[in-house]
């Protein structure tokens, strides 16, 4: 049975407090949240206090040099994110009745999604449906998963260690990784480099090259080459990792098809080993519980049509 207090709660709640609370959690502090929202810090603090009084729970522990979201705060944040995601869909859902397909598609993707097949779908869809708009947000794979789970993105494209609950994951394409050094690296101009010659060399790494991370196969490649166990540079962004390799900071792993142009132009050189290279799947991620707009459903159908008509071998890049 629903208690009278629970029945009254949504009617007495100032819903703006939920938005403020969500921003405070995501910005990890009141001062940063105030800056983002264009408000003063005392206003944010007062809003947070009012929300805690209304819910009857401490939501955030606020001490000097400490910011911690409580268990109740984390539960509320998940609900706020779901509400925000649902509300953000309203404009696109209301476009359903238009004669010409309209709406907005919000895609959250990792930094190294480079696929001719995916680009072709984007081009063809945008050309056919000129009233549909797009937004592309680049984030780490974990954040891509979170945004899709929280219903804050139409779809996600990312690496996965395992398929998250309530989400649907389809292999968009596959890529192989190899080791590379930049033109400024001492090994670049050496002839016939052997695997033994790169043993102990300094390296740069993706943040997800961990045992429980989606790029664990790449970490095994580094171990096979016996590179120095501790990295000299790390990034979650492919373009910044490539920058460190080109700059000669260390040897690093890149998708072969991504590095191809740099190899052809003389900016990068592939290093051994050349066989048994790790293969990594890039996934198209959707939320099974999301009520898709007409534009989202049409775009997802276009992606799935491409995947159905092109064999996975064709979508495997070397």
């Amino acid at each position: 049975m629903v208690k009278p207090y629970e029945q009254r709660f949504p009617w007495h709640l100032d819903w703006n407090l939920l938005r403020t609370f969500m921003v405070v959690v995501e910005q990890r502090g009141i001062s940063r949240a105030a800056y983002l929202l264009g408000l003063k810090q005392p206003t944010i603090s007062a809003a947070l206090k009012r929300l805690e009084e209304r819910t009857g729970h401490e939501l955030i522990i606020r001490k000097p040099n400490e910011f911690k979201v409580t268990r109740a705060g984390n539960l509320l944040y998940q609900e706020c994110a779901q509400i925000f995601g649902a509300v953000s869909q309203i404009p696109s859902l209301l476009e359903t009745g238009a004669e010409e397909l309209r709406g907005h598609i919000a895609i959250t993707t990792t930094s190294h999604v480079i696929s001719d097949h995916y680009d072709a779908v984007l081009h063809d869809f945008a050309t056919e449906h000129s009233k549909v708009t797009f937004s592309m947000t680049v984030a780490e794979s974990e954040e891509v998963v979170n945004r899709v789970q929280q219903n804050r993105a139409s779809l996600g494209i990312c690496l996965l260690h395992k398929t998250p609950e309530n989400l649907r994951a389809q292999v968009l394409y596959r890529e192989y990784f190899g080791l590379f050094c930049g033109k400024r690296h001492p090994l670049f101009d050496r002839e016939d480099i052997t695997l033994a010659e790169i043993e102990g060399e300094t390296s740069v790494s993706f943040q997800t090259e961990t045992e429980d991370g989606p790029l664990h196969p790449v970490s095994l490649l580094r171990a096979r080459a016996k590179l120095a166990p501790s990295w000299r540079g790390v990034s979650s962004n492919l373009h910044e990792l490539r920058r460190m390799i080109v700059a000669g900071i260390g040897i690093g792993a890149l998708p072969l098809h991504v590095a191809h142009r740099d190899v052809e132009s003389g900016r990068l050189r592939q290093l051994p080993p050349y066989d048994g290279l790790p293969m990594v799947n890039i996934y198209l991620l959707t939320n099974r519980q999301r009520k898709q707009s007409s534009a989202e459903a049409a775009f997802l159908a276009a992606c799935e049509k491409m995947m159905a008509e092109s064999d996975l071998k064709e979508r495997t890049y070397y």
Side-chain angles (χ1 to χ4, degrees), residues 18 21 51 55 59 71-81:
L18 298 180
F21 170 71
L51 184 60
T55 61
L59 303 174
R71 181 177 179 277
N74 276 314
L75 290 172
L76 180 60
Y77 171 75
Q78 295 299 323
E79 294 301 317
C80 288

Side-chain angles (χ1 to χ4, degrees), residues 185-198:
H185 196 280
L187 291 174
F188 188 87
D189 293 320
R190 191 175 299 182
E191 295 183 7
D192 301 325
I193 301 173
T194 64
L195 188 59
E197 289 180 275
I198 67 174

Side-chain angles (χ1 to χ4, degrees), residues 111-116 118-119 173 175 238-239 257-258 317:
S111 66
H112 58 282
V113 174
I114 299 178
S115 164
D116 290 339
Y118 174 59
D119 290 347
Y173 68 93
E175 58 188 12
L238 179 141
H239 304 293
H257 73 292
V258 174
Y317 301 131

Side-chain angles (χ1 to χ4, degrees), residues 40-148:
K40 295 181 179 180
Q41 291 188 34
T43 303
I44 300 295
S45 297
L48 185 56
K49 183 178 180 181
R50 285 174 56 201
L51 184 60
E52 289 180 327
E53 290 173 350
R54 177 60 64 185
T55 61
H57 294 278
E58 183 180 30
L59 303 174
I60 296 175
I61 298 173
R62 305 178 294 283
K63 296 180 180 178
N65 301 320
E66 181 181 3
F67 179 91
K68 183 179 180 181
V69 183
T70 65
R71 181 177 179 277
N74 276 314
L75 290 172
L76 180 60
Y77 171 75
Q78 295 299 323
E79 294 301 317
C80 288
Q82 291 285 348
I83 293 169
F84 181 87
V87 172
S88 67
Q89 284 187 265
I90 291 176
S92 291
L93 291 173
L94 294 179
E95 297 283 3
T96 301
E99 291 184 11
E100 188 175 1
L101 187 64
R102 298 171 181 265
H104 183 76
I105 299 171
I107 301 172
T108 304
T109 175
T110 54
S111 66
H112 58 282
V113 174
I114 299 178
S115 164
D116 290 339
H117 291 82
Y118 174 59
D119 290 347
V121 172
L122 277 172
H123 171 268
D124 293 345
F125 188 88
T127 301
E128 183 177 356
H129 305 292
S130 61
K131 300 298 183 182
V132 175
T133 58
F134 297 84
S135 62
M136 307 283 186
T137 302
V138 178
E140 296 182 28
S141 290
E142 184 178 357
E143 178 61 18
V144 174
V145 172
N146 288 338
R147 283 177 174 266
V148 176

